[in-house]
Amino acid sequence: MPTMTLRIPTEDGQADAFAAYPDGGGQHPGVLLYMDIFGVRPVLEELARELAGHGYYVLVPNVFYRNGPAPLVELPEHIGAEARPALFGRLVPLLEEHTAERALRDADAYLGFLADRPEVAAGPVAAIGYCMGAALAMRTAVAHPDRVAAVAGFHPGGLVTDAPDSPHRLVPGIRAEVHLGLAEGDLSPEAISGFEQALDAAGVGHTCEVYPGALHGFTMADTAAFDPAALQRHWDRLLPLLDRTLTKS
């Protein structure tokens, strides 16, 4: 499986990133994979490799590149409950600094990079995200309705807030098919219902599913929330979505 680390020029600097794509040459649909708050690290790289093995060019940018290259903080081999307060103390301020304006400028750069890569096929791309990355994927789809054909968010954070530009208020701008895979407690039943009603009203094809028994972070094998069954369920939903919406050569 070919992989590489690279740097993507943006309006604000150079974003370091990881990419994985199928062996054997040719061109493949692009997938922009947004990280969770713990950043680009081996478990995300492994998710990218797995996805690339199904025929996609997968780009995983370090969203917090303005603060330095990944890893920005030293992570334990296993992120348990005892490590989370100190990690969040360092990482949440970086998330708060990553405004919607910054996110949209970066999305322009990431999609431009994919459009220019010889390994990436012409045509639509997908934006997927984990935890905070789900909101970034939604914003990317809204800003680029002609480029993004699929959006998937798993154990999402920040989708429904009180902010005027909360992602759930932007749903009318989405043209992509959407899947949300939620842990129990990620969103209230009322928030889920409201989100689905907005998607219905916008004519957006979607599935919004609570994965039974799953905890927030269930896809991440280096955390205490990891749930192998929920991770498999995530693949069972994600791969058909990409197969429906992206064109393979």
Side-chain angles (χ1 to χ4, degrees), residues 10-11 33 68 90 104 117 125 130 132 135-136 139 150 178 201 203:
T10 76
E11 288 189 26
L33 190 160
R90 296 189 62 184
L104 293 178
R117 290 298 300 183
V125 302
Y130 299 85
M132 67 172 221
L136 298 177
R139 292 191 187 280
V178 176

Side-chain angles (χ1 to χ4, degrees), residues 4-127:
M4 64 175 62
T5 55
L6 42 88
R7 299 182 73 82
I8 301 172
T10 76
E11 288 189 26
D12 299 327
Q14 298 272 331
D16 53 304
F18 175 86
Y21 49 96
D23 201 357
Q27 293 185 314
H28 314 280
V31 176
L32 175 55
L33 190 160
Y34 282 113
M35 66 192 209
D36 65 352
I37 196 168
F38 297 125
V40 182
R41 61 197 192 281
V43 69
L44 276 183
E45 294 172 1
E46 183 55 38
L47 288 174
R49 288 189 186 93
E50 175 74 19
L51 188 51
H54 292 275
Y56 302 98
Y57 183 103
V58 186
L59 178 67
V60 190
N62 169 25
V63 169
F64 296 149
Y65 69 88
R66 293 173 181 84
N67 303 96
L72 285 171
V73 299
E74 184 176 352
L75 295 172
E77 184 173 337
H78 181 76
I79 304 170
E82 70 287 348
R84 294 171 74 87
L87 291 173
F88 280 125
R90 296 189 62 184
L91 293 170
V92 168
L94 305 187
L95 175 58
E96 292 171 345
E97 292 171 7
H98 194 65
T99 61
E101 291 77 13
R102 285 185 171 187
L104 293 178
R105 291 200 300 271
D106 290 348
D108 291 346
Y110 303 151
L111 293 181
F113 173 87
L114 287 172
D116 291 340
R117 290 298 300 183
E119 305 92 346
V120 178
V125 302

Side-chain angles (χ1 to χ4, degrees), residues 160-166 168-169:
V160 179
T161 73
D162 294 332
D165 65 345
S166 171
H168 80 284
R169 304 184 197 280

Side-chain angles (χ1 to χ4, degrees), residues 135-195:
L136 298 177
M138 294 285 288
R139 292 191 187 280
T140 299
V142 171
H144 298 273
D146 296 331
R147 289 288 317 280
V148 180
V151 176
F154 298 96
H155 42 88
L159 282 182
V160 179
T161 73
D162 294 332
D165 65 345
S166 171
H168 80 284
R169 304 184 197 280
L170 307 177
V171 163
I174 294 176
R175 297 294 175 266
E177 185 177 343
V178 176
H179 173 72
L180 295 181
L182 303 159
E184 292 185 352
D186 275 343
L187 290 174
S188 69
E190 294 77 18
I192 294 172
S193 177
F195 208 98

